[in-house]
Amino acid sequence: MIAIGSDHAAYEFKEAIKAYLDEKGIEYKDFGCFSNERTDYPLYGEKVAKAVASGECDKGLLFCGTGVGMSLAANKVKGIRAVVCSDCYTAAMSRRHNDANILALGARVVGLDLAKMIIDTWLNTEFEGGRHADRVAMICDIENRNCTNA
Ligand code: RB5
């Protein structure tokens, strides 16, 4: 199950990606927003991040104007490794080496066709583990030593 969310800037983009996921038979849960009325990206970044961190959803997709605000908000939740991508190479490597669990895309940055390719790449690339698992563990250690969130 994929958690999905956007702000107003990416609402139409999210709806188009949902249609694409429907076509591919990929299940998702939409955490909003639900119209293009102006809203605030941290609201949805946190909802999607919590769904992934808790294990309710396996991975998350977040969309805003640039993807930046969503990734910053999501990364404040313990256990989240959110990445902003605008190319397939970074998307693949963020899975292979960083075990990224949320992909953030900018609806004002990437076109819909490229976004679909990036999402396909990201969803279908596995974490390599090994030495990369040691490094991800080091990231978790930074989180544990520096973040006191409940
Ligand atoms: C909204 O105008 C815009 O700031 C937001 O979608 C996002 O790009 C923030 O990072």
Side-chain angles (χ1 to χ4, degrees), residues 7-148:
D7 70 354
H8 57 288
Y11 170 70
E12 308 286 352
F13 188 89
K14 171 167 66 72
E15 295 307 298
I17 295 297
K18 280 165 60 183
Y20 181 63
L21 296 176
D22 285 338
E23 265 172 43
K24 303 205 90 174
I26 297 172
E27 291 193 324
Y28 57 81
K29 181 170 176 182
D30 187 354
F31 288 84
C33 64
F34 298 108
S35 78
N36 51 22
E37 192 177 322
R38 186 180 299 162
T39 182
D40 303 303
Y41 61 80
L43 298 172
Y44 310 97
E46 183 178 12
K47 283 178 203 279
V48 165
K50 281 185 163 173
V52 174
S54 69
E56 179 190 351
C57 293
D58 308 307
K59 290 191 178 88
L61 297 174
L62 281 168
F63 313 125
C64 62
T66 59
V68 172
M70 283 297 198
S71 65
L72 292 174
N75 276 319
K76 296 299 179 191
V77 174
K78 190 170 175 155
I80 293 304
R81 291 177 298 284
V83 288
V84 191
C85 293
S86 49
D87 67 276
C88 291
Y89 178 78
T90 307
M93 296 310 283
S94 77
R95 290 287 310 129
R96 286 173 59 184
H97 286 191
N98 312 114
D99 200 17
N101 50 14
I102 291 185
L103 172 66
L105 297 177
R108 294 171 177 162
V109 179
V110 293
L112 211 41
D113 282 355
L114 176 57
K116 291 173 186 173
M117 290 176 73
I118 293 171
I119 289 169
D120 281 344
T121 301
W122 191 77
L123 289 178
N124 293 317
T125 304
E126 295 300 321
F127 179 46
E128 284 178 6
R131 69 182 187 281
H132 303 296
D134 297 341
R135 292 165 184 158
V136 171
M138 290 172 73
I139 295 174
C140 296
D141 188 49
I142 295 172
E143 192 173 58
N144 288 330
R145 286 185 286 103
N146 291 278
C147 305
T148 51

